[in-house]
């Protein structure tokens, strides 16, 4: 124990019951849990709704297509963007709240799954029970450049984009790269 620093139990206690597992994955999750984003807002029990995950079974194997992805209303997302000084409003936020952990994707305020609430969390987002009521924003969606590579071309072809259109994109990219040098 280092003098003046809290023990791990003192740090974890206010956040609820977290099961200890002896795995590399669990330790990485613990480090993320112990990181300290600045709490931005309080969210009450009436501010969110719990929604089911999108699951489908294929040949006896169950797949979850919405694992860790909830929803946030456009109005609430705009409010968060203002608090964080972001412009334009990001399309998604990485969050933690009351043992929920994951990403919330921005949807229109009238989205049926929000049911009048600013947030909708999925069951797969709940990692543990916690009374901690501060809503924490860890990160947000950002612009990253895309590249016309083999995977992108395969996807474009599979959804019906003509080869001539892909070649035009390729030629534009080459012209832009030549201007940079």
């Amino acid at each position: 124990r280092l003098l003046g620093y809290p023990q791990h139990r003192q740090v974890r206690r206010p956040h609820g019951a977290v099961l200890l597992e002896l795995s590399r994955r669990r330790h990485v999750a613990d480090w993320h849990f112990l990181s300290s984003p600045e709490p931005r807002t309080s969210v009450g029990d009436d501010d969110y709704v719990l929604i089911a995950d999108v699951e489908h079974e294929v040949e006896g194997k169950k797949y979850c297509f919405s694992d860790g992805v909830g929803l946030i209303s456009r109005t609430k997302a705009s409010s968060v963007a203002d608090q964080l000084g972001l412009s334009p409003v990001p399309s998604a936020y990485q969050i933690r709240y009351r043992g929920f952990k994951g990403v919330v994707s921005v949807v229109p305020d009238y989205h049926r799954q929000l049911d009048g609430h600013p947030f909708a969390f999925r069951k797969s987002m709940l990692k543990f029970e916690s009374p901690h009521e501060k809503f924490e924003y860890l990160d947000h969606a950002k612009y990253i450049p895309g590249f016309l590579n083999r995977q992108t071309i395969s996807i474009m072809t599979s959804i019906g984009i003509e080869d001539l259109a892909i070649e035009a994109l390729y030629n534009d990219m080459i012209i832009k790269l030549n201007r940079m040098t």
Side-chain angles (χ1 to χ4, degrees):
R1 173 173 152 89
L2 296 173
L3 196 57
Y5 290 96
Q7 291 184 328
H8 69 87
R9 286 181 194 86
Q10 292 171 307
V11 173
R12 284 177 177 244
R13 190 174 296 122
H15 296 283
V18 180
L19 298 175
L20 293 176
E21 295 177 19
L22 298 176
S23 71
R24 183 177 296 153
R25 183 174 172 219
R26 181 74 248 163
H27 289 294
V28 169
D30 283 348
W31 277 109
H32 287 283
F33 171 76
L34 295 172
S35 63
S36 57
E38 186 178 325
R40 295 292 174 170
T41 186
S42 289
V43 175
D45 289 336
D46 297 333
D47 290 340
Y48 72 92
V49 63
L50 195 61
I51 58 176
D53 279 293
V54 178
E55 296 178 324
H56 189 67
E57 192 169 320
V58 177
E59 297 176 5
K61 189 171 182 180
K62 202 176 216 179
Y63 294 92
C64 181
F65 296 96
S66 59
D67 190 21
V69 181
L71 308 172
I72 182 173
S73 70
R74 176 152 313 277
T75 300
K76 189 65 173 177
S78 296
S79 170
V80 171
D82 289 343
Q83 289 177 23
L84 298 174
L86 302 173
S87 180
V89 176
S91 59
Y93 293 97
Q94 183 182 3
I95 58 97
R96 284 194 305 220
Y97 169 69
R98 278 197 169 181
F100 289 100
K101 193 172 110 178
V103 173
V104 286
S105 181
V106 179
V107 295
D109 291 345
Y110 54 83
H111 193 280
R112 66 178 171 76
Q113 287 187 300
L114 286 174
D115 195 26
H117 299 84
F119 297 100
F121 301 132
R122 296 195 188 273
K123 294 175 182 174
S124 63
M125 295 175 73
L126 185 61
K127 306 303 180 190
F128 56 90
E129 296 290 332
S130 172
H132 186 66
E133 292 189 16
K134 290 294 181 185
F135 203 86
E136 300 170 338
Y137 300 95
L138 302 167
D139 207 353
H140 60 277
K142 299 174 188 82
Y143 169 79
I144 57 171
F147 298 96
L148 194 58
N149 57 29
R150 188 173 295 153
Q151 292 87 357
T152 307
I153 292 170
S154 294
I155 292 169
M156 293 170 76
T157 303
S158 70
I159 62 173
I161 296 176
E162 296 291 325
D163 289 344
L164 288 175
I166 297 171
E167 285 180 39
L169 285 172
Y170 172 78
N171 291 330
D172 288 345
M173 187 181 289
I174 294 298
I175 290 168
K176 288 177 184 174
L177 288 172
N178 286 335
R179 286 184 192 150
M180 293 169 44
T181 56

